Amino acid sequence: MTDARGPGLAAHRHELIRNEARLRGFVRVAELARRLGVSEVTVRRDITALVDAGDLARVHGGATLPAPGAGGGPRRPLATLGMVLPASRYYYRGVVAGAEEAAARVGMRLVLAVSRYDVAEEARLVERMLRAGVDALLVATARPPHDEPPRWFASAGVPVVLVERRADGPDAEYVRTDHAAGARLAVEHLADLGHERVGLAVRPTTPTSSWLVDGFREATRTRGTAVAGFPPVGLAIEADGIAERDRRLADLLRRCAETGTQALLVHADEDAVSLLDLATDHGVRVPEDLSIVAYDDEMAALAPVPLTAVAPPKHDVGRAAVDLAVRRLSLGPAAATQQVTLLPRLVVRASTAAP
């Protein structure tokens, strides 16, 4: 066991102790002494220096992260996390809230930028954050990486966690919702109600849509569940305008009538609510004539007929992304790569019933 007191060794220990506190929220003297290979006297001296710097607060047997405002002023953030998302509202509002909560818990600062689904803008924002000195990046890429990390990934030089995206490889860490499982959950719910035919309608430009189509096809090919009344339908995007939106939704109702399909999974909530309104105008009752499951659960509960919905764990995605970044900052490159998949849940309301 050594008690090296050189400034370089002490600074290295201080950084390791800070990282451990970020990860766990506290440190213990005896445990640190064993891990660092130094005496408990040395660890206490290190903790004293970090307490004096405002990085830690002393407690019996160790130290914790200081409470906000401790020492007469705001706590200095132990690290800065840069978050780049394609949007900050609707779906990603919950992701941001979860990330903010997790970052605050460990005394880190979260900085947000929005790419508006523009790949070039995303690259510019990532470069700007790296120049500003962020300690880690949390990124939902403007376009799905299709199992390959984005071009800037390898040269980032800081830990990167992909958010609601997936990329293969030993260095790609991500947190994502299993949207395919969400589609299966909806189909199974409708089949349990007695529906033999179900349909799927998605906005084809969203990253979520391909996973929903995969899950829907898998679920409707499984023996003992409902079958697809017709192939997945692409809905209008925002740029198409209201008239085109209503035309495609009316066509969706027509397909349901022609195929005897009385149950639908619709992504996203806005389209599900618009479909409900249009169905009412056409004399189609929900849920008596048509059961609707919305996907996202952002506004489904506020529909005239509260919509049953699949709810991705948005807050948990944000929290888990920060936790992954903190873990990587604490343990360094030796830590095993983590690729985290979270399951959505079904929230049953008034829009689904037996056919």
Side-chain angles (χ1 to χ4, degrees), residues 197-239:
R197 293 178 178 273
V198 296
L200 170 67
V202 298
R203 290 190 182 185
T205 56
T206 68
T208 305
S209 62
S210 61
W211 285 323
L212 292 178
V213 170
D214 290 344
F216 177 80
R217 286 174 172 163
E218 179 183 345
T220 53
R221 290 169 182 165
T222 301
R223 184 182 298 274
T225 188
V227 300
F230 44 82
V233 170
L235 298 174
I237 62 176
E238 188 172 349

Side-chain angles (χ1 to χ4, degrees), residues 95-301:
V95 175
V96 172
E100 282 184 308
E101 176 186 306
R105 186 182 69 237
V106 295
M108 293 188 178
R109 181 186 178 208
L110 185 70
V111 179
L112 177 66
V114 179
S115 70
R116 301 186 185 277
Y117 291 93
D118 185 287
V119 174
E121 177 68 359
E122 172 192 292
R124 188 187 70 82
L125 293 172
V126 166
E127 181 182 357
R128 187 177 72 182
M129 285 194 169
L130 292 174
R131 287 200 309 268
V134 297
D135 297 283
L137 285 169
L138 316 175
V139 183
T141 53
R143 294 288 181 268
H146 300 296
D147 300 331
E148 292 291 335
R151 290 183 178 180
W152 49 260
F153 184 90
S155 60
V158 300
V160 178
V161 178
L162 297 177
V163 180
E164 287 293 19
R165 301 290 186 266
R166 183 185 66 193
D168 293 333
D171 300 321
E173 294 197 301
Y174 61 75
V175 180
R176 61 174 288 264
T177 301
D178 189 343
H179 295 298
R184 294 193 297 269
L185 195 63
V187 171
E188 290 166 2
H189 168 67
L190 294 168
D192 288 344
L193 290 174
H195 290 279
E196 297 180 355
R197 293 178 178 273
V198 296
L200 170 67
V202 298
R203 290 190 182 185
T205 56
T206 68
T208 305
S209 62
S210 61
W211 285 323
L212 292 178
V213 170
D214 290 344
F216 177 80
R217 286 174 172 163
E218 179 183 345
T220 53
R221 290 169 182 165
T222 301
R223 184 182 298 274
T225 188
V227 300
F230 44 82
V233 170
L235 298 174
I237 62 176
E238 188 172 349
D240 292 329
I242 294 177
E244 178 63 13
R245 179 202 69 186
D246 289 347
R247 186 192 70 79
R248 295 200 190 189
L249 290 175
D251 183 64
L252 178 61
L253 290 176
R254 179 185 58 79
R255 291 193 187 205
C256 288
E258 290 176 349
T259 59
T261 300
Q262 293 181 274
L264 289 172
L265 170 60
V266 181
H267 175 256
D269 280 16
E270 292 179 353
D271 294 305
V273 173
S274 296
L275 178 66
L276 171 63
D277 292 340
L278 194 65
T280 301
D281 293 342
H282 284 69
V284 177
R285 299 170 300 165
V286 175
E288 294 86 353
D289 304 321
L290 179 67
S291 284
I292 299 175
V293 177
Y295 197 95
D296 273 353
D297 201 27
E298 282 294 315
M299 53 185 289

